[in-house]
Amino acid sequence: AQKVTQAQTEISVVEKEDVTLDCVYETRDTTYYLFWYKQPPSGELVFLIRRNSFDEQNEISGRYSWNFQKSTSSFNFTITASQVVDSAVYFCALSEESTGANNLFFGTGTRLTVIP
Amino acid sequence: NAGVMQNPRHLVRRRGQEARLRCSPMKGHSHVYWYRQLPEEGLKFMVYLQKENIIDESGMPKERFSAEFPKEGPSILRIQQVVRGDSAAYFCASSPPSGQAGGIYGYTFGSGTRLTVV
């Protein structure tokens, strides 16, 4: 069973639009960690955020915000006023305490294209 | 303070050859993790190593793949007799020892090695 589901394979938005990337996860652990990574066309992985399962506070960092909802097992990511530089593949990932919290389960990614 | 260094950045091998991918962890990091990203897919965990020890190899293919992290030098992911299906990006991550700053708290990824098998 897929532990992390990113149902949106590709999204295109026009510059300055807001966009939300969905992430739904599945775990039986009470202690777990959720991540978002950005993979620009150059291919490297850029860490964006890590949250643990006990911290449901939403977070905002500049134009980025994250909405963690344990009730729906979702950790969605919103980019406000999108820019062309936001074009990338975005991955959501999960780490579980029961496996030692040493490895990450990645979703299949959402490719975001921001059109100028 | 150099990050996680992977080399080569790009590697081309003919079918049947061996591929050796290197990963030098960040200074102070003693744990290394290898992931594989097949085209148009997410990353999949392969193996977790500490110095001279394989801790978790649950994601490693049973044949042709091996990994090591010697006492001195970089971690090596070795693929013998490569096939077209091995073409992928291979990412390495490192972290400090487990604890508040360790494990997934201290995860840092390298830039990856893109292996192409022709």
Side-chain angles (χ1 to χ4, degrees), chain A residues 33 35 37 39 42-45 50 52 91 95 101-104 106-108 111, chain B residues 9 33 35 37 40-43 45 48 56 91 98 103-105 107 109 111 114:
Chain A
Y33 308 87
F35 300 76
Y37 283 88
Q39 188 174 42
S42 51
E44 73 271 24
L45 280 171
R50 177 189 63 241
N52 72 54
F91 292 99
S95 181
N102 284 307
N103 52 296
L104 301 176
F106 281 81
T108 50
R111 182 178 298 277
Chain B
R9 196 70 198 273
Y33 316 80
Y35 287 76
Q37 183 181 25
E40 305 302 318
E41 292 188 16
L43 280 73
F45 169 77
Y48 161 37
D56 179 356
F91 286 90
S98 295
I104 49 87
Y105 281 92
Y107 242 66
F109 276 96
S111 298
R114 273 125 193 103

mmCIF file of all heavy atoms in Angstrom, chain A residues 33 35 37 39 42-45 50 52 91 95 101-104 106-108 111, chain B residues 9 33 35 37 40-43 45 48 56 91 98 103-105 107 109 111 114:
data_model
loop_
_atom_site.group_PDB
_atom_site.id
_atom_site.type_symbol
_atom_site.label_atom_id
_atom_site.label_comp_id
_atom_site.label_asym_id
_atom_site.label_seq_id
_atom_site.Cartn_x
_atom_site.Cartn_y
_atom_site.Cartn_z
ATOM 1 N N TYR A 33 6.890 11.652 10.938
ATOM 2 C CA TYR A 33 7.386 12.939 10.465
ATOM 3 C C TYR A 33 7.004 13.101 8.999
ATOM 4 O O TYR A 33 7.049 12.150 8.224
ATOM 5 C CB TYR A 33 8.916 12.999 10.612
ATOM 6 C CG TYR A 33 9.379 12.641 12.001
ATOM 7 C CD1 TYR A 33 9.607 11.312 12.352
ATOM 8 C CD2 TYR A 33 9.561 13.624 12.965
ATOM 9 C CE1 TYR A 33 10.000 10.973 13.628
ATOM 10 C CE2 TYR A 33 9.962 13.288 14.250
ATOM 11 C CZ TYR A 33 10.174 11.965 14.575
ATOM 12 O OH TYR A 33 10.557 11.632 15.845
ATOM 13 N N PHE A 35 7.429 15.536 5.414
ATOM 14 C CA PHE A 35 8.383 16.420 4.748
ATOM 15 C C PHE A 35 7.817 16.875 3.406
ATOM 16 O O PHE A 35 7.008 16.184 2.780
ATOM 17 C CB PHE A 35 9.688 15.667 4.428
ATOM 18 C CG PHE A 35 10.403 15.104 5.607
ATOM 19 C CD1 PHE A 35 9.942 13.963 6.236
ATOM 20 C CD2 PHE A 35 11.563 15.704 6.067
ATOM 21 C CE1 PHE A 35 10.611 13.421 7.322
ATOM 22 C CE2 PHE A 35 12.244 15.174 7.159
ATOM 23 C CZ PHE A 35 11.772 14.036 7.778
ATOM 24 N N TYR A 37 9.789 18.272 -0.206
ATOM 25 C CA TYR A 37 11.027 18.586 -0.918
ATOM 26 C C TYR A 37 10.667 19.149 -2.285
ATOM 27 O O TYR A 37 9.664 18.773 -2.887
ATOM 28 C CB TYR A 37 11.880 17.320 -1.138
ATOM 29 C CG TYR A 37 12.629 16.855 0.070
ATOM 30 C CD1 TYR A 37 12.037 15.986 0.984
ATOM 31 C CD2 TYR A 37 13.938 17.258 0.306
ATOM 32 C CE1 TYR A 37 12.733 15.543 2.101
ATOM 33 C CE2 TYR A 37 14.642 16.825 1.406
ATOM 34 C CZ TYR A 37 14.029 15.966 2.297
ATOM 35 O OH TYR A 37 14.724 15.532 3.400
ATOM 36 N N GLN A 39 12.209 19.599 -6.195
ATOM 37 C CA GLN A 39 13.227 19.151 -7.134
ATOM 38 C C GLN A 39 13.132 20.005 -8.394
ATOM 39 O O GLN A 39 12.311 19.759 -9.267
ATOM 40 C CB GLN A 39 13.072 17.662 -7.471
ATOM 41 C CG GLN A 39 14.232 17.116 -8.295
ATOM 42 C CD GLN A 39 14.160 15.618 -8.499
ATOM 43 O OE1 GLN A 39 13.099 15.053 -8.761
ATOM 44 N NE2 GLN A 39 15.292 14.944 -8.364
ATOM 45 N N SER A 42 17.142 21.292 -12.392
ATOM 46 C CA SER A 42 18.549 20.910 -12.250
ATOM 47 C C SER A 42 18.711 19.570 -11.542
ATOM 48 O O SER A 42 19.784 18.964 -11.607
ATOM 49 C CB SER A 42 19.310 22.004 -11.502
ATOM 50 O OG SER A 42 18.632 22.334 -10.309
ATOM 51 N N GLY A 43 17.683 19.111 -10.855
ATOM 52 C CA GLY A 43 17.677 17.744 -10.346
ATOM 53 C C GLY A 43 17.987 17.546 -8.871
ATOM 54 O O GLY A 43 17.742 16.458 -8.349
ATOM 55 N N GLU A 44 18.532 18.551 -8.203
ATOM 56 C CA GLU A 44 18.848 18.303 -6.795
ATOM 57 C C GLU A 44 17.578 18.350 -5.956
ATOM 58 O O GLU A 44 16.536 18.778 -6.412
ATOM 59 C CB GLU A 44 19.866 19.337 -6.275
ATOM 60 C CG GLU A 44 19.312 20.731 -6.059
ATOM 61 C CD GLU A 44 19.391 21.615 -7.275
ATOM 62 O OE1 GLU A 44 19.448 21.076 -8.408
ATOM 63 O OE2 GLU A 44 19.369 22.843 -7.109
ATOM 64 N N LEU A 45 17.680 17.889 -4.728
ATOM 65 C CA LEU A 45 16.541 17.904 -3.808
ATOM 66 C C LEU A 45 16.714 19.040 -2.815
ATOM 67 O O LEU A 45 17.737 19.121 -2.139
ATOM 68 C CB LEU A 45 16.460 16.595 -3.042
ATOM 69 C CG LEU A 45 15.843 15.423 -3.772
ATOM 70 C CD1 LEU A 45 16.031 14.157 -2.968
ATOM 71 C CD2 LEU A 45 14.358 15.654 -4.011
ATOM 72 N N ARG A 50 9.926 20.068 7.593
ATOM 73 C CA ARG A 50 9.709 18.830 8.328
ATOM 74 C C ARG A 50 8.749 19.133 9.483
ATOM 75 O O ARG A 50 8.928 20.125 10.183
ATOM 76 C CB ARG A 50 11.023 18.297 8.896
ATOM 77 C CG ARG A 50 10.851 17.050 9.746
ATOM 78 C CD ARG A 50 12.132 16.667 10.487
ATOM 79 N NE ARG A 50 12.530 17.692 11.430
ATOM 80 C CZ ARG A 50 13.676 18.349 11.363
ATOM 81 N NH1 ARG A 50 14.536 18.101 10.399
ATOM 82 N NH2 ARG A 50 13.959 19.254 12.254
ATOM 83 N N ASN A 52 6.582 17.118 12.820
ATOM 84 C CA ASN A 52 6.328 15.859 13.507
ATOM 85 C C ASN A 52 4.842 15.742 13.808
ATOM 86 O O ASN A 52 4.105 16.727 13.779
ATOM 87 C CB ASN A 52 7.196 15.714 14.765
ATOM 88 C CG ASN A 52 6.767 16.623 15.887
ATOM 89 O OD1 ASN A 52 5.607 16.611 16.285
ATOM 90 N ND2 ASN A 52 7.693 17.403 16.406
ATOM 91 N N PHE A 91 7.848 16.890 -3.846
ATOM 92 C CA PHE A 91 7.639 15.586 -3.231
ATOM 93 C C PHE A 91 7.248 15.742 -1.774
ATOM 94 O O PHE A 91 7.856 16.523 -1.032
ATOM 95 C CB PHE A 91 8.914 14.736 -3.288
ATOM 96 C CG PHE A 91 9.293 14.304 -4.672
ATOM 97 C CD1 PHE A 91 10.266 14.984 -5.378
ATOM 98 C CD2 PHE A 91 8.684 13.207 -5.266
ATOM 99 C CE1 PHE A 91 10.630 14.592 -6.653
ATOM 100 C CE2 PHE A 91 9.033 12.808 -6.542
ATOM 101 C CZ PHE A 91 9.996 13.499 -7.238
ATOM 102 N N SER A 95 8.267 9.687 7.346
ATOM 103 C CA SER A 95 9.181 8.823 8.077
ATOM 104 C C SER A 95 8.468 8.336 9.328
ATOM 105 O O SER A 95 7.811 9.122 10.004
ATOM 106 C CB SER A 95 10.451 9.587 8.443
ATOM 107 O OG SER A 95 11.356 8.751 9.127
ATOM 108 N N ALA A 101 12.707 5.743 12.157
ATOM 109 C CA ALA A 101 12.709 7.128 11.644
ATOM 110 C C ALA A 101 14.005 7.428 10.920
ATOM 111 O O ALA A 101 14.558 8.518 11.025
ATOM 112 C CB ALA A 101 12.457 8.135 12.765
ATOM 113 N N ASN A 102 14.497 6.436 10.198
ATOM 114 C CA ASN A 102 15.751 6.633 9.483
ATOM 115 C C ASN A 102 15.596 6.689 7.978
ATOM 116 O O ASN A 102 16.541 7.040 7.291
ATOM 117 C CB ASN A 102 16.730 5.503 9.833
ATOM 118 C CG ASN A 102 17.331 5.699 11.210
ATOM 119 O OD1 ASN A 102 17.875 6.747 11.498
ATOM 120 N ND2 ASN A 102 17.213 4.697 12.043
ATOM 121 N N ASN A 103 14.446 6.272 7.472
ATOM 122 C CA ASN A 103 14.290 6.377 6.025
ATOM 123 C C ASN A 103 12.959 7.025 5.689
ATOM 124 O O ASN A 103 12.032 7.043 6.500
ATOM 125 C CB ASN A 103 14.413 5.006 5.344
ATOM 126 C CG ASN A 103 13.506 3.965 5.938
ATOM 127 O OD1 ASN A 103 13.652 3.614 7.080
ATOM 128 N ND2 ASN A 103 12.566 3.475 5.147
ATOM 129 N N LEU A 104 12.921 7.584 4.504
ATOM 130 C CA LEU A 104 11.770 8.340 4.047
ATOM 131 C C LEU A 104 11.003 7.564 2.980
ATOM 132 O O LEU A 104 11.607 6.959 2.097
ATOM 133 C CB LEU A 104 12.211 9.670 3.443
ATOM 134 C CG LEU A 104 12.994 10.621 4.347
ATOM 135 C CD1 LEU A 104 13.451 11.847 3.569
ATOM 136 C CD2 LEU A 104 12.131 11.041 5.509
ATOM 137 N N PHE A 106 8.645 8.333 -0.051
ATOM 138 C CA PHE A 106 8.288 9.473 -0.886
ATOM 139 C C PHE A 106 7.020 9.193 -1.683
ATOM 140 O O PHE A 106 6.770 8.063 -2.110
ATOM 141 C CB PHE A 106 9.406 9.767 -1.885
ATOM 142 C CG PHE A 106 10.568 10.517 -1.304
ATOM 143 C CD1 PHE A 106 11.545 9.855 -0.586
ATOM 144 C CD2 PHE A 106 10.680 11.887 -1.477
ATOM 145 C CE1 PHE A 106 12.626 10.548 -0.057
ATOM 146 C CE2 PHE A 106 11.746 12.590 -0.953
ATOM 147 C CZ PHE A 106 12.726 11.912 -0.234
ATOM 148 N N GLY A 107 6.243 10.255 -1.912
ATOM 149 C CA GLY A 107 5.174 10.178 -2.887
ATOM 150 C C GLY A 107 5.773 10.246 -4.286
ATOM 151 O O GLY A 107 6.977 10.400 -4.460
ATOM 152 N N THR A 108 4.910 10.141 -5.285
ATOM 153 C CA THR A 108 5.379 10.125 -6.663
ATOM 154 C C THR A 108 5.596 11.522 -7.229
ATOM 155 O O THR A 108 6.063 11.658 -8.348
ATOM 156 C CB THR A 108 4.395 9.360 -7.553
ATOM 157 O OG1 THR A 108 3.077 9.866 -7.317
ATOM 158 C CG2 THR A 108 4.426 7.873 -7.245
ATOM 159 N N ARG A 111 4.309 17.659 -10.482
ATOM 160 C CA ARG A 111 5.081 18.580 -11.329
ATOM 161 C C ARG A 111 4.297 19.883 -11.475
ATOM 162 O O ARG A 111 3.188 19.891 -12.018
ATOM 163 C CB ARG A 111 5.335 17.969 -12.707
ATOM 164 C CG ARG A 111 6.169 18.856 -13.624
ATOM 165 C CD ARG A 111 6.437 18.184 -14.962
ATOM 166 N NE ARG A 111 7.186 16.958 -14.806
ATOM 167 C CZ ARG A 111 8.509 16.885 -14.677
ATOM 168 N NH1 ARG A 111 9.225 17.997 -14.707
ATOM 169 N NH2 ARG A 111 9.106 15.720 -14.554
ATOM 170 N N ARG B 9 28.692 13.096 -11.185
ATOM 171 C CA ARG B 9 27.360 13.697 -11.340
ATOM 172 C C ARG B 9 26.562 12.935 -12.409
ATOM 173 O O ARG B 9 25.361 12.723 -12.251
ATOM 174 C CB ARG B 9 27.527 15.163 -11.717
ATOM 175 C CG ARG B 9 26.297 15.988 -11.541
ATOM 176 C CD ARG B 9 25.919 16.204 -10.091
ATOM 177 N NE ARG B 9 24.544 16.620 -9.980
ATOM 178 C CZ ARG B 9 24.120 17.866 -10.049
ATOM 179 N NH1 ARG B 9 24.985 18.839 -10.225
ATOM 180 N NH2 ARG B 9 22.838 18.146 -9.935
ATOM 181 N N TYR B 33 22.580 7.124 3.660
ATOM 182 C CA TYR B 33 21.384 6.491 3.109
ATOM 183 C C TYR B 33 21.429 6.636 1.593
ATOM 184 O O TYR B 33 21.772 7.697 1.085
ATOM 185 C CB TYR B 33 20.119 7.182 3.624
ATOM 186 C CG TYR B 33 20.134 7.499 5.102
ATOM 187 C CD1 TYR B 33 20.810 8.625 5.575
ATOM 188 C CD2 TYR B 33 19.480 6.683 6.014
ATOM 189 C CE1 TYR B 33 20.838 8.911 6.925
ATOM 190 C CE2 TYR B 33 19.501 6.984 7.374
ATOM 191 C CZ TYR B 33 20.185 8.102 7.820
ATOM 192 O OH TYR B 33 20.214 8.389 9.158
ATOM 193 N N TYR B 35 19.177 6.297 -2.013
ATOM 194 C CA TYR B 35 17.842 6.258 -2.598
ATOM 195 C C TYR B 35 17.981 6.190 -4.117
ATOM 196 O O TYR B 35 18.935 6.710 -4.690
ATOM 197 C CB TYR B 35 17.050 7.523 -2.254
ATOM 198 C CG TYR B 35 16.578 7.602 -0.827
ATOM 199 C CD1 TYR B 35 17.452 7.925 0.207
ATOM 200 C CD2 TYR B 35 15.247 7.356 -0.504
ATOM 201 C CE1 TYR B 35 17.018 7.991 1.518
ATOM 202 C CE2 TYR B 35 14.791 7.426 0.803
ATOM 203 C CZ TYR B 35 15.693 7.741 1.805
ATOM 204 O OH TYR B 35 15.243 7.811 3.109
ATOM 205 N N GLN B 37 15.868 7.017 -7.753
ATOM 206 C CA GLN B 37 14.725 7.676 -8.377
ATOM 207 C C GLN B 37 14.659 7.251 -9.838
ATOM 208 O O GLN B 37 15.455 7.700 -10.665
ATOM 209 C CB GLN B 37 14.832 9.202 -8.279
ATOM 210 C CG GLN B 37 13.619 9.918 -8.853
ATOM 211 C CD GLN B 37 13.732 11.435 -8.775
ATOM 212 O OE1 GLN B 37 14.820 11.999 -8.739
ATOM 213 N NE2 GLN B 37 12.589 12.110 -8.726
ATOM 214 N N GLU B 40 10.497 9.746 -13.760
ATOM 215 C CA GLU B 40 9.107 10.141 -13.488
ATOM 216 C C GLU B 40 8.546 9.494 -12.215
ATOM 217 O O GLU B 40 7.335 9.356 -12.073
ATOM 218 C CB GLU B 40 8.196 9.787 -14.672
ATOM 219 C CG GLU B 40 8.643 10.365 -16.000
ATOM 220 C CD GLU B 40 8.755 11.880 -15.999
ATOM 221 O OE1 GLU B 40 7.861 12.539 -15.429
ATOM 222 O OE2 GLU B 40 9.728 12.417 -16.563
ATOM 223 N N GLU B 41 9.403 9.111 -11.295
ATOM 224 C CA GLU B 41 8.915 8.525 -10.042
ATOM 225 C C GLU B 41 9.540 9.230 -8.845
ATOM 226 O O GLU B 41 10.473 10.026 -8.978
ATOM 227 C CB GLU B 41 9.263 7.026 -9.977
ATOM 228 C CG GLU B 41 8.509 6.182 -10.978
ATOM 229 C CD GLU B 41 8.730 4.706 -10.738
ATOM 230 O OE1 GLU B 41 9.203 4.316 -9.656
ATOM 231 O OE2 GLU B 41 8.423 3.923 -11.661
ATOM 232 N N GLY B 42 8.999 8.929 -7.665
ATOM 233 C CA GLY B 42 9.591 9.442 -6.436
ATOM 234 C C GLY B 42 10.812 8.631 -6.046
ATOM 235 O O GLY B 42 11.135 7.623 -6.659
ATOM 236 N N LEU B 43 11.476 9.104 -5.010
ATOM 237 C CA LEU B 43 12.653 8.388 -4.533
ATOM 238 C C LEU B 43 12.234 7.170 -3.718
ATOM 239 O O LEU B 43 11.256 7.220 -2.969
ATOM 240 C CB LEU B 43 13.500 9.303 -3.642
ATOM 241 C CG LEU B 43 14.403 10.302 -4.345
ATOM 242 C CD1 LEU B 43 13.583 11.426 -4.947
ATOM 243 C CD2 LEU B 43 15.436 10.843 -3.372
ATOM 244 N N PHE B 45 13.810 4.301 -0.993
ATOM 245 C CA PHE B 45 14.902 3.946 -0.092
ATOM 246 C C PHE B 45 15.549 2.646 -0.525
ATOM 247 O O PHE B 45 14.870 1.682 -0.891
ATOM 248 C CB PHE B 45 14.349 3.813 1.326
ATOM 249 C CG PHE B 45 15.295 3.202 2.309
ATOM 250 C CD1 PHE B 45 16.335 3.944 2.839
ATOM 251 C CD2 PHE B 45 15.152 1.876 2.693
ATOM 252 C CE1 PHE B 45 17.215 3.387 3.751
ATOM 253 C CE2 PHE B 45 16.022 1.306 3.594
ATOM 254 C CZ PHE B 45 17.059 2.058 4.131
ATOM 255 N N TYR B 48 20.657 1.762 4.309
ATOM 256 C CA TYR B 48 21.116 2.675 5.367
ATOM 257 C C TYR B 48 22.366 2.066 5.971
ATOM 258 O O TYR B 48 22.362 0.904 6.387
ATOM 259 C CB TYR B 48 19.988 2.849 6.384
ATOM 260 C CG TYR B 48 20.357 3.357 7.750
ATOM 261 C CD1 TYR B 48 21.351 4.318 7.943
ATOM 262 C CD2 TYR B 48 19.663 2.892 8.863
ATOM 263 C CE1 TYR B 48 21.650 4.779 9.207
ATOM 264 C CE2 TYR B 48 19.959 3.349 10.131
ATOM 265 C CZ TYR B 48 20.956 4.293 10.304
ATOM 266 O OH TYR B 48 21.247 4.740 11.569
ATOM 267 N N ASP B 56 20.233 -1.283 7.462
ATOM 268 C CA ASP B 56 18.949 -1.641 6.862
ATOM 269 C C ASP B 56 19.130 -1.673 5.353
ATOM 270 O O ASP B 56 19.427 -0.642 4.761
ATOM 271 C CB ASP B 56 17.890 -0.609 7.268
ATOM 272 C CG ASP B 56 16.506 -0.885 6.672
ATOM 273 O OD1 ASP B 56 16.357 -1.841 5.864
ATOM 274 O OD2 ASP B 56 15.571 -0.140 6.993
ATOM 275 N N PHE B 91 20.451 8.994 -5.266
ATOM 276 C CA PHE B 91 20.715 10.039 -4.289
ATOM 277 C C PHE B 91 21.258 9.429 -3.004
ATOM 278 O O PHE B 91 20.820 8.373 -2.555
ATOM 279 C CB PHE B 91 19.431 10.812 -3.962
ATOM 280 C CG PHE B 91 18.986 11.740 -5.044
ATOM 281 C CD1 PHE B 91 18.113 11.298 -6.039
ATOM 282 C CD2 PHE B 91 19.431 13.046 -5.080
ATOM 283 C CE1 PHE B 91 17.699 12.147 -7.053
ATOM 284 C CE2 PHE B 91 19.013 13.912 -6.095
ATOM 285 C CZ PHE B 91 18.152 13.461 -7.075
ATOM 286 N N SER B 98 22.027 9.046 15.596
ATOM 287 C CA SER B 98 20.649 9.190 16.066
ATOM 288 C C SER B 98 20.585 10.060 17.307
ATOM 289 O O SER B 98 21.530 10.168 18.062
ATOM 290 C CB SER B 98 20.062 7.820 16.388
ATOM 291 O OG SER B 98 19.970 7.058 15.226
ATOM 292 N N GLY B 103 19.342 11.090 12.587
ATOM 293 C CA GLY B 103 18.310 10.442 11.799
ATOM 294 C C GLY B 103 17.667 11.452 10.875
ATOM 295 O O GLY B 103 18.326 12.291 10.272
ATOM 296 N N ILE B 104 16.363 11.403 10.791
ATOM 297 C CA ILE B 104 15.681 12.266 9.833
ATOM 298 C C ILE B 104 15.739 13.738 10.226
ATOM 299 O O ILE B 104 15.476 14.614 9.404
ATOM 300 C CB ILE B 104 14.223 11.836 9.624
ATOM 301 C CG1 ILE B 104 13.519 11.643 10.960
ATOM 302 C CG2 ILE B 104 14.127 10.566 8.800
ATOM 303 C CD1 ILE B 104 12.904 12.872 11.525
ATOM 304 N N TYR B 105 16.111 14.033 11.439
ATOM 305 C CA TYR B 105 16.248 15.444 11.816
ATOM 306 C C TYR B 105 17.419 16.090 11.111
ATOM 307 O O TYR B 105 17.424 17.277 10.857
ATOM 308 C CB TYR B 105 16.436 15.574 13.335
ATOM 309 C CG TYR B 105 15.161 15.447 14.102
ATOM 310 C CD1 TYR B 105 14.739 14.214 14.585
ATOM 311 C CD2 TYR B 105 14.356 16.551 14.335
ATOM 312 C CE1 TYR B 105 13.556 14.095 15.281
ATOM 313 C CE2 TYR B 105 13.173 16.443 15.034
ATOM 314 C CZ TYR B 105 12.781 15.212 15.505
ATOM 315 O OH TYR B 105 11.604 15.100 16.185
ATOM 316 N N TYR B 107 18.874 14.933 8.203
ATOM 317 C CA TYR B 107 19.014 14.459 6.834
ATOM 318 C C TYR B 107 19.458 15.578 5.898
ATOM 319 O O TYR B 107 18.845 16.634 5.836
ATOM 320 C CB TYR B 107 17.650 13.992 6.351
ATOM 321 C CG TYR B 107 17.517 12.545 5.987
ATOM 322 C CD1 TYR B 107 17.641 11.552 6.933
ATOM 323 C CD2 TYR B 107 17.202 12.166 4.700
ATOM 324 C CE1 TYR B 107 17.469 10.215 6.607
ATOM 325 C CE2 TYR B 107 17.023 10.846 4.355
ATOM 326 C CZ TYR B 107 17.152 9.876 5.313
ATOM 327 O OH TYR B 107 16.969 8.561 4.981
ATOM 328 N N PHE B 109 20.572 15.747 1.710
ATOM 329 C CA PHE B 109 20.740 15.018 0.457
ATOM 330 C C PHE B 109 21.872 15.616 -0.382
ATOM 331 O O PHE B 109 22.096 16.831 -0.381
ATOM 332 C CB PHE B 109 19.458 15.060 -0.373
ATOM 333 C CG PHE B 109 18.440 14.016 0.010
ATOM 334 C CD1 PHE B 109 17.413 14.331 0.879
ATOM 335 C CD2 PHE B 109 18.512 12.729 -0.496
ATOM 336 C CE1 PHE B 109 16.469 13.374 1.248
ATOM 337 C CE2 PHE B 109 17.575 11.770 -0.142
ATOM 338 C CZ PHE B 109 16.555 12.091 0.736
ATOM 339 N N SER B 111 23.479 15.919 -4.436
ATOM 340 C CA SER B 111 22.861 16.343 -5.695
ATOM 341 C C SER B 111 22.539 15.192 -6.634
ATOM 342 O O SER B 111 21.946 15.397 -7.677
ATOM 343 C CB SER B 111 23.787 17.322 -6.418
ATOM 344 O OG SER B 111 23.973 18.480 -5.638
ATOM 345 N N ARG B 114 23.382 10.677 -11.884
ATOM 346 C CA ARG B 114 22.474 10.191 -12.917
ATOM 347 C C ARG B 114 23.170 9.125 -13.739
ATOM 348 O O ARG B 114 24.122 9.419 -14.454
ATOM 349 C CB ARG B 114 22.009 11.347 -13.806
ATOM 350 C CG ARG B 114 20.792 12.032 -13.240
ATOM 351 C CD ARG B 114 21.019 13.537 -13.065
ATOM 352 N NE ARG B 114 19.954 14.110 -12.247
ATOM 353 C CZ ARG B 114 20.114 14.433 -10.961
ATOM 354 N NH1 ARG B 114 21.263 14.289 -10.372
ATOM 355 N NH2 ARG B 114 19.109 14.913 -10.289
#
